[in-house]
Coordinates of all heavy atoms in Angstrom, one line a residue:
L394 N -16.7 -15.1 -1.8 CA -17.6 -13.9 -1.9 C -18.9 -14.2 -2.6 O -19.5 -13.3 -3.2 CB -16.9 -12.7 -2.5 CG -15.6 -12.3 -1.7 CD1 -15.0 -11.1 -2.4 CD2 -15.8 -12.0 -0.2
G395 N -19.2 -15.5 -2.7 CA -20.5 -15.9 -3.4 C -20.4 -15.8 -4.9 O -21.4 -15.5 -5.6
G396 N -19.2 -15.9 -5.5 CA -19.0 -15.8 -6.9 C -18.9 -14.4 -7.5 O -18.9 -14.3 -8.7
R397 N -18.6 -13.4 -6.6 CA -18.4 -12.1 -7.1 C -17.1 -11.9 -7.9 O -16.1 -12.6 -7.6 CB -18.5 -11.1 -6.0 CG -19.8 -10.9 -5.3 CD -19.7 -9.9 -4.2 NE -19.2 -8.6 -4.6 CZ -18.5 -7.8 -3.9 NH1 -18.1 -8.1 -2.6 NH2 -18.1 -6.6 -4.3
E398 N -17.0 -10.9 -8.8 CA -15.8 -10.4 -9.3 C -15.5 -9.1 -8.7 O -16.4 -8.3 -8.6 CB -15.8 -10.4 -10.8 CG -16.0 -11.7 -11.5 CD -16.1 -11.6 -13.0 OE1 -16.4 -10.4 -13.5 OE2 -16.0 -12.6 -13.7
I399 N -14.3 -8.8 -8.4 CA -13.9 -7.6 -7.7 C -13.3 -6.6 -8.8 O -12.4 -7.0 -9.6 CB -12.9 -7.8 -6.6 CG1 -13.4 -8.7 -5.6 CG2 -12.5 -6.5 -6.0 CD1 -14.6 -8.2 -4.8
D400 N -13.8 -5.3 -8.7 CA -13.2 -4.3 -9.6 C -11.9 -3.8 -9.0 O -11.8 -3.5 -7.8 CB -14.1 -3.1 -9.7 CG -15.4 -3.4 -10.5 OD1 -15.3 -4.2 -11.5 OD2 -16.5 -2.9 -10.1
L401 N -10.8 -3.8 -9.8 CA -9.5 -3.4 -9.4 C -9.0 -2.3 -10.3 O -9.2 -2.4 -11.6 CB -8.6 -4.6 -9.5 CG -9.0 -5.8 -8.6 CD1 -8.3 -7.1 -9.0 CD2 -8.8 -5.6 -7.1
V402 N -8.4 -1.3 -9.8 CA -8.0 -0.1 -10.5 C -6.6 0.2 -10.2 O -6.2 0.2 -9.0 CB -8.9 1.1 -10.3 CG1 -8.5 2.3 -11.2 CG2 -10.4 0.8 -10.5
Q403 N -5.8 0.5 -11.2 CA -4.4 1.0 -11.0 C -4.2 2.2 -11.9 O -4.9 2.4 -12.9 CB -3.4 -0.1 -11.4 CG -3.5 -1.3 -10.6 CD -2.6 -1.2 -9.3 OE1 -1.4 -1.4 -9.3 NE2 -3.3 -0.8 -8.3
G404 N -3.3 3.1 -11.4 CA -3.0 4.3 -12.2 C -2.4 3.9 -13.5 O -1.5 3.0 -13.6
N405 N -2.8 4.6 -14.6 CA -2.2 4.4 -15.9 C -1.7 5.7 -16.5 O -2.1 6.2 -17.5 CB -3.3 3.8 -16.9 CG -2.8 3.3 -18.2 OD1 -1.7 2.7 -18.3 ND2 -3.5 3.7 -19.3
V406 N -0.9 6.3 -15.7 CA -0.5 7.7 -15.9 C 0.9 7.9 -15.2 O 1.2 7.2 -14.2 CB -1.6 8.6 -15.3 CG1 -1.7 8.4 -13.8 CG2 -1.3 10.1 -15.5
L407 N 1.6 8.9 -15.7 CA 2.9 9.2 -15.1 C 2.6 9.7 -13.6 O 1.7 10.5 -13.4 CB 3.6 10.4 -15.8 CG 5.1 10.5 -15.6 CD1 5.8 9.3 -16.1 CD2 5.6 11.8 -16.4
G408 N 3.3 9.1 -12.7 CA 3.0 9.4 -11.3 C 2.2 8.2 -10.6 O 2.1 8.2 -9.4
G409 N 1.6 7.4 -11.5 CA 0.9 6.2 -11.0 C -0.2 6.6 -10.0 O -1.0 7.5 -10.1
G410 N -0.3 5.8 -8.9 CA -1.3 6.0 -7.9 C -1.3 7.4 -7.3 O -2.3 7.9 -6.9
S411 N -0.1 8.0 -7.2 CA 0.0 9.4 -6.6 C -0.7 10.4 -7.4 O -1.0 11.5 -7.0 CB 1.5 9.7 -6.3 OG 2.1 10.0 -7.6
T412 N -1.0 10.1 -8.7 CA -1.7 11.0 -9.6 C -3.2 10.8 -9.6 O -3.9 11.7 -10.0 CB -1.1 10.9 -11.0 OG1 0.3 11.1 -11.0 CG2 -1.7 11.9 -12.0
V413 N -3.6 9.7 -9.2 CA -5.0 9.4 -9.3 C -5.6 9.0 -7.9 O -6.8 8.5 -7.8 CB -5.3 8.3 -10.3 CG1 -5.0 8.7 -11.7 CG2 -4.6 7.0 -10.0
N414 N -4.9 9.1 -6.8 CA -5.5 8.7 -5.5 C -6.2 9.9 -4.9 O -6.2 11.0 -5.4 CB -4.3 8.2 -4.6 CG -3.3 9.2 -4.3 OD1 -3.4 10.4 -4.6 ND2 -2.2 8.8 -3.6
V415 N -6.7 9.7 -3.6 CA -7.4 10.8 -3.0 C -6.4 11.6 -2.1 O -6.8 12.5 -1.4 CB -8.5 10.3 -2.0 CG1 -9.6 9.6 -2.9 CG2 -8.0 9.3 -1.0
Q416 N -5.1 11.3 -2.2 CA -4.0 12.1 -1.7 C -3.8 12.1 -0.2 O -3.0 12.8 0.3 CB -4.2 13.6 -2.2 CG -4.2 13.7 -3.7 CD -4.9 15.0 -4.1 OE1 -6.1 15.0 -4.3 NE2 -4.2 16.1 -4.3
A417 N -4.5 11.2 0.5 CA -4.3 11.1 1.9 C -2.9 10.6 2.2 O -2.5 9.6 1.6 CB -5.3 10.2 2.6
Y418 N -2.2 11.3 3.1 CA -0.8 10.9 3.4 C -0.7 10.2 4.7 O -0.8 10.8 5.8 CB 0.0 12.2 3.4 CG 1.6 11.9 3.6 CD1 2.3 11.5 2.5 CD2 2.1 12.1 4.8 CE1 3.7 11.2 2.7 CE2 3.5 11.9 5.0 CZ 4.3 11.4 3.9 OH 5.6 11.1 4.1
I419 N -0.5 8.9 4.6 CA -0.3 8.0 5.8 C 0.9 7.2 5.6 O 1.0 6.5 4.5 CB -1.6 7.2 6.0 CG1 -2.8 8.0 6.2 CG2 -1.4 6.2 7.1 CD1 -2.9 8.8 7.5
R420 N 1.8 7.1 6.6 CA 3.0 6.4 6.4 C 2.9 4.9 7.0 O 3.8 4.2 6.7 CB 4.2 7.2 7.1 CG 4.4 8.5 6.5 CD 5.6 9.2 7.1 NE 5.5 9.3 8.6 CZ 6.1 10.3 9.3 NH1 6.8 11.2 8.6 NH2 6.1 10.3 10.6
G421 N 2.0 4.7 7.8 CA 2.0 3.4 8.6 C 2.7 3.6 9.9 O 3.1 4.6 10.3
R422 N 2.8 2.5 10.6 CA 3.3 2.5 12.0 C 4.7 2.0 12.0 O 5.2 1.2 11.2 CB 2.5 1.7 12.9 CG 1.0 2.1 13.1 CD 0.4 1.4 14.2 NE 0.3 -0.1 14.0 CZ -1.0 -0.6 13.8 NH1 -2.1 0.1 13.7 NH2 -1.0 -2.0 13.6
A423 N 5.5 2.4 13.0 CA 6.9 1.9 13.3 C 6.9 0.4 13.3 O 7.8 -0.2 12.7 CB 7.4 2.5 14.5
D424 N 5.9 -0.3 13.9 CA 6.0 -1.7 14.0 C 5.9 -2.4 12.7 O 6.3 -3.5 12.5 CB 5.0 -2.2 15.1 CG 3.6 -1.8 14.8 OD1 3.2 -0.7 14.8 OD2 2.8 -2.8 14.4
D425 N 5.2 -1.7 11.7 CA 5.1 -2.3 10.4 C 6.5 -2.6 9.8 O 6.8 -3.7 9.3 CB 4.4 -1.4 9.4 CG 2.9 -1.1 9.8 OD1 2.3 -2.1 10.3 OD2 2.4 -0.1 9.5
Y426 N 7.3 -1.6 9.9 CA 8.6 -1.6 9.3 C 9.6 -2.4 10.1 O 10.6 -3.0 9.6 CB 9.1 -0.2 8.9 CG 8.1 0.4 8.0 CD1 7.3 1.5 8.5 CD2 7.8 0.0 6.8 CE1 6.3 2.1 7.7 CE2 6.8 0.5 5.9 CZ 6.1 1.6 6.4 OH 5.1 2.2 5.7
N427 N 9.5 -2.3 11.4 CA 10.3 -3.2 12.3 C 10.0 -4.7 12.0 O 10.9 -5.5 12.1 CB 10.0 -2.8 13.8 CG 10.6 -1.5 14.2 OD1 11.5 -1.0 13.5 ND2 10.0 -0.9 15.2
A428 N 8.8 -5.0 11.6 CA 8.5 -6.4 11.2 C 9.2 -6.7 9.9 O 9.7 -7.9 9.8 CB 7.0 -6.6 11.1
W429 N 9.3 -5.8 9.0 CA 10.1 -6.0 7.8 C 11.5 -6.3 8.2 O 12.1 -7.2 7.6 CB 10.0 -4.8 6.9 CG 8.7 -4.5 6.2 CD1 7.5 -5.0 6.5 CD2 8.6 -3.6 5.1 NE1 6.6 -4.4 5.6 CE2 7.2 -3.6 4.8 CE3 9.4 -2.8 4.3 CZ2 6.7 -2.8 3.7 CZ3 8.9 -2.0 3.3 CH2 7.6 -2.1 3.0
N430 N 12.0 -5.5 9.1 CA 13.4 -5.6 9.4 C 13.7 -7.1 10.0 O 14.7 -7.7 9.7 CB 13.7 -4.6 10.5 CG 15.2 -4.1 10.4 OD1 15.7 -4.0 9.3 ND2 15.8 -3.8 11.5
D431 N 12.7 -7.5 10.8 CA 12.9 -8.9 11.4 C 13.0 -9.9 10.3 O 13.8 -10.9 10.4 CB 11.7 -9.2 12.4 CG 11.8 -8.3 13.6 OD1 12.8 -7.8 14.0 OD2 10.7 -8.2 14.3
V432 N 12.1 -9.8 9.3 CA 12.1 -10.8 8.2 C 13.4 -10.7 7.4 O 13.9 -11.8 7.0 CB 10.9 -10.4 7.3 CG1 11.0 -11.2 6.0 CG2 9.6 -10.8 8.0
L433 N 13.9 -9.5 7.2 CA 15.1 -9.4 6.3 C 16.4 -9.6 7.0 O 17.5 -9.5 6.4 CB 15.0 -8.0 5.7 CG 13.8 -7.8 4.7 CD1 13.6 -6.4 4.3 CD2 14.1 -8.7 3.5
R434 N 16.4 -9.8 8.3 CA 17.7 -10.1 9.0 C 18.3 -11.4 8.4 O 19.6 -11.6 8.5 CB 17.5 -10.2 10.5 CG 17.3 -8.9 11.2 CD 17.6 -9.0 12.7 NE 17.4 -7.7 13.3 CZ 16.3 -7.4 14.0 NH1 15.3 -8.2 14.1 NH2 16.3 -6.1 14.5
G435 N 17.5 -12.3 7.8 CA 18.0 -13.5 7.3 C 18.6 -13.3 5.9 O 18.5 -14.3 5.1

């Protein structure tokens, strides 16, 4: 990135990210977790 440093932020509060996020509720897709399942069959 041309020598840039990236700002990174984490919750430092009870509830963590759920206390300091913008609260959008997205679960992801079925295929995301089916891929987890494929990996963990071993």
